[in-house]
Amino acid sequence: MRRIVAVLVLVGFVVATRSTAAQPLDSRFLARKFVAPENAPSMITMTDMNEGGERMIVTGQVTDGSKPLAGVSIYVFQADAKGLYTTDGFNSDDRARLHGAMRTDATGRYRFETIRPAGYGAPQPMPAHVHYVVRAPKGYKSLMYQLWFEDDAAVAKLRADNSLFKLPDWVAIRPITRDSDGVWHTTRDVVLDRE
């Protein structure tokens, strides 16, 4: 039930006529477990090779709009290739099985390897996505973001079904391409707002 409500709320945001500045951190994601250790690397692998699904690599850079921001904590989490966050019957995103934490390097860059997630929900499926919990350095707002994929049929359906479709600032629909080894590649840059 919780997942269905979250999907309906998010779809409501997506079809709204004006975008939001950003998605504030939900209180569930203020816990220490959603913050990367100070010495966390800027490149991680979230899933091993036994995880079902197609391999995907996401890269990006965190800036304030003009300069790169080093040491920013990025906690990412997602559903698996079946659209499930957990396998215990309680599909809660704050207990996502596929997750990882990193910190941006000196040039504000990060990279993670995972599998391409599936969307979920009915009757209108939620676009497949990766959640970002970004804990900003002093002077910047800590926020949540999402990465959606340009080739996702659920994104195309949202656009076709609603002429008022306006993407919230906290969602980025990005192109995704597959290399000769079958690995998907996409980029999600993040611009942090000052407090």
Side-chain angles (χ1 to χ4, degrees):
M1 181 66 176
R2 185 178 188 176
R3 184 178 81 171
I4 293 169
V5 170
V7 170
L8 292 175
V9 168
L10 182 57
V11 170
F13 277 123
V14 171
V15 297
T17 57
R18 53 187 276 262
S19 66
T20 59
Q23 185 179 21
L25 278 178
D26 181 302
S27 61
R28 294 176 296 155
F29 300 105
L30 293 175
R32 181 77 191 140
K33 78 175 193 173
F34 300 108
V35 178
E38 289 297 325
N39 63 348
S42 60
M43 296 187 292
I44 63 168
T45 300
M46 286 173 43
T47 60
D48 64 30
M49 295 307 286
N50 296 321
E51 182 68 37
E54 299 174 303
R55 304 301 297 170
M56 180 175 75
I57 297 173
V58 180
T59 58
Q61 184 180 37
V62 179
T63 70
D64 67 358
S66 60
K67 69 176 183 182
L69 297 174
V72 175
S73 170
I74 301 174
Y75 180 93
V76 288
F77 64 95
Q78 66 178 72
D80 63 19
K82 296 177 183 174
L84 299 173
Y85 286 105
T86 63
T87 56
D88 62 5
F90 184 66
N91 202 29
S92 169
D93 58 359
D94 59 330
R95 292 176 45 242
R97 182 174 63 82
L98 302 182
H99 65 273
M102 66 209 102
R103 286 195 179 263
T104 56
D105 68 12
T107 62
R109 300 197 178 279
Y110 71 91
R111 178 184 190 270
F112 64 93
E113 295 184 35
T114 184
I115 54 101
R116 190 164 176 178
Y120 51 80
Q124 180 167 339
M126 173 77 178
H129 56 281
V130 177
H131 296 271
Y132 283 61
V133 177
V134 180
R135 300 298 285 268
K138 187 174 172 90
Y140 295 92
K141 295 179 183 176
S142 294
L143 302 165
M144 290 189 73
Y145 298 91
Q146 285 188 22
L147 166 64
W148 294 6
F149 310 104
E150 193 172 75
D151 66 349
D152 191 324
V155 171
K157 183 164 176 32
L158 278 172
R159 287 177 166 153
D161 288 351
N162 192 322
S163 62
L164 299 178
F165 180 87
K166 179 140 176 92
L167 194 66
D169 291 344
W170 45 267
V171 171
I173 300 175
R174 301 296 301 143
I176 186 164
T177 58
R178 197 189 313 236
D179 67 22
S180 60
D181 293 325
V183 178
W184 292 100
H185 293 264
T186 191
T187 299
R188 188 356 170 166
D189 292 337
V190 173
V191 177
L192 293 183
D193 296 328
R194 291 195 175 272
E195 291 182 326

